[in-house]
């Protein structure tokens, strides 16, 4: 088997959010080895500037490339909007798959033509999202109501998926969207699928109408298969894929997140020396 086919796939996020994408990839491609990087020492990315997010994303990409990955999944909407162009131009030969809020699938299924988009501040302020939103609105007549969920990533990083504080935040963010008539909510951050049960519960308290929730994790996994196939990089060996994880933050926190959220128990190592920490607040 050529070397690149047996190489692992790199996946990164600002923290544990990308585990919601890794879960789809691991189920979809069970023979692939996966290297996950949680940049938890710098989470959340959503409150940082585009330059800071881009610098961290490039540093993490370089680390994963040094670790031998054959492809990269940017399992973070915020890093995709801020840095995917820079990653692609720095590493033109590396297959790179990003994740973006599912505005298109949401628009095609909304009956009320009002879609709520839950994401980080940085994602919602990005030029990339603005362009996407304008194009889809013009083509579909859908109105997007954007809601930055400040503080939510911190709650999820702490493992507070159902605490009173998390529920309070979620209610504050979802309630105006439902009041404005949204019948579809886009989870525009990879952390949010982990609070999807809470979101659905709160929506149920706010309206008797059905509200669809859109998550693009499975679509990213399908896109990854397509790109690996086109590049003849799919692993053909029948052995079970191994997962290995790295974090710039706490080893035990990432170990616990893997166990609690995915029931996986990969080896986790702490890596503190990548990038230029002096440039990041
Ligand atoms: N999980 C991330 C995303 O998809 C980012 C969260 C953050 O660090 O603010 O946007």
């Amino acid at each position: 088997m050529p070397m690149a086919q047996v190489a692992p796939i790199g996946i990164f996020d600002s923290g544990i959010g990308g585990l919601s994408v890794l879960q789809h990839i691991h189920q979809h491609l069970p023979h692939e080895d996966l290297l996950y990087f949680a940049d938890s020492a710098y989470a959340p990315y959503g409150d940082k500037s585009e330059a800071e997010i881009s610098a961290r994303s490039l540093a993490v990409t370089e680390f994963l490339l040094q670790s031998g990955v054959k492809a990269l999944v940017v399992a973070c909407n915020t890093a995709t909007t801020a840095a995917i162009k820079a990653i692609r131009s720095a590493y033109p030969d590396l297959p790179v798959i990003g994740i973006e809020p599912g505005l298109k699938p949401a628009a095609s299924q909304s009956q009320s033509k009002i879609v709520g988009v839950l994401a980080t501040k940085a994602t919602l302020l990005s030029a990339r999202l603005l362009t996407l939103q304008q194009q889809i609105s013009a083509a579909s007549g859908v109105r997007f109501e954007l809601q930055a969920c400040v503080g939510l990533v911190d709650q999820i990083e702490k493992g507070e998926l159902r605490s009173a504080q998390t529920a309070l935040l979620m209610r504050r963010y979802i309630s105006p969207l439902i009041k404005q008539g949204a019948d579809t909510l886009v989870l525009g951050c990879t952390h949010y699928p982990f609070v999807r049960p809470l979101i659905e519960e709160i929506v149920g308290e706010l309206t008797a109408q059905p509200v669809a929730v859109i998550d693009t994790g499975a679509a990213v996994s399908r896109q990854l298969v397509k790109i690996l196939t086109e590049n003849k990089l799919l692993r053909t060996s029948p052995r079970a894929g191994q997962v290995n994880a790295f974090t710039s933050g706490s080893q035990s926190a990432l170990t616990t997140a893997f166990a609690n959220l995915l029931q996986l128990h990969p080896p986790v190592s702490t890596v503190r020396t990548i990038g230029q920490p002096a440039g990041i607040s």
Side-chain angles (χ1 to χ4, degrees):
M1 204 185 290
M3 194 53 197
Q5 285 183 356
V6 299
I9 297 164
I11 304 172
F12 84 90
D13 178 50
S14 61
I16 62 172
L19 296 186
S20 68
V21 179
L22 180 141
Q23 184 169 32
H24 289 287
I25 295 171
H26 194 46
Q27 279 164 5
H28 208 159
L29 294 169
H31 307 305
E32 296 287 347
D33 289 345
L34 307 178
L35 288 192
Y36 186 81
F37 194 102
D39 201 15
S40 297
Y42 298 94
Y45 278 4
D47 302 339
K48 295 191 163 55
S49 71
E50 201 162 290
E52 288 172 321
I53 301 163
S54 201
R56 285 309 301 167
S57 300
L58 285 166
V60 172
T61 301
E62 180 59 31
F63 172 80
L64 288 170
L65 266 177
Q66 295 297 328
S67 308
V69 301
K70 63 182 176 185
L72 178 75
V73 177
V74 183
C76 175
N77 293 262
T78 310
T80 299
T81 50
I84 201 161
K85 267 196 190 158
I87 295 172
R88 287 192 171 128
S89 71
Y91 306 101
D93 298 328
L94 177 70
V96 180
I97 295 96
I99 185 164
E100 282 178 302
L103 268 50
K104 217 172 170 178
S108 63
Q109 74 175 74
S110 171
Q111 301 290 314
S112 68
K113 301 275 181 203
I114 301 166
V115 168
V117 184
L118 304 167
T120 67
K121 208 162 68 181
T123 297
L124 295 178
L125 289 176
S126 69
R128 209 179 157 96
L129 191 91
L130 183 70
T131 309
L132 189 68
Q133 186 199 332
Q134 285 170 343
Q135 281 168 352
I136 298 172
S137 279
S140 63
V142 162
R143 192 175 92 223
F144 292 102
E145 293 294 338
L146 310 182
Q147 178 63 61
C149 300
V150 177
L152 184 56
V153 164
D154 288 323
Q155 291 299 108
I156 297 168
E157 287 285 321
K158 283 190 278 180
E160 291 195 27
L161 306 185
R162 298 198 72 92
S163 71
Q165 173 65 18
T166 307
L168 194 74
L169 269 185
M170 285 321 304
R171 216 166 271 122
R172 188 187 304 155
Y173 294 141
I174 294 170
S175 170
L177 301 174
I178 300 298
K179 279 203 187 110
Q180 286 171 82
D183 68 350
T184 308
L185 294 179
V186 174
L187 304 186
C189 168
T190 54
H191 282 74
Y192 303 169
F194 294 123
V195 287
R196 185 175 180 153
L198 180 64
I199 291 174
E200 288 174 339
E201 226 170 81
I202 291 169
V203 167
E205 288 165 14
L206 294 168
T207 176
Q209 302 302 315
V211 173
V213 177
I214 307 284
D215 163 26
T216 42
V220 167
S221 172
R222 287 194 296 273
Q223 179 66 6
L224 173 64
V225 174
K226 184 169 170 271
I227 301 283
L228 291 179
T229 307
E230 281 169 9
N231 287 277
K232 299 191 174 28
L233 286 174
L234 264 187
R235 188 180 184 124
T236 48
S237 134
R239 103 191 203 309
Q242 312 286 310
V243 180
N244 277 279
F246 302 94
T247 176
S248 56
S250 151
Q251 185 206 26
S252 66
L254 186 57
T255 303
T256 305
F258 262 100
N260 290 350
L261 300 173
L262 305 188
Q263 292 74 54
L264 289 176
H265 307 278
V268 176
S269 317
T270 296
V271 178
R272 294 210 193 273
T273 50
I274 66 161
Q276 279 113 38
I280 310 287
S281 57

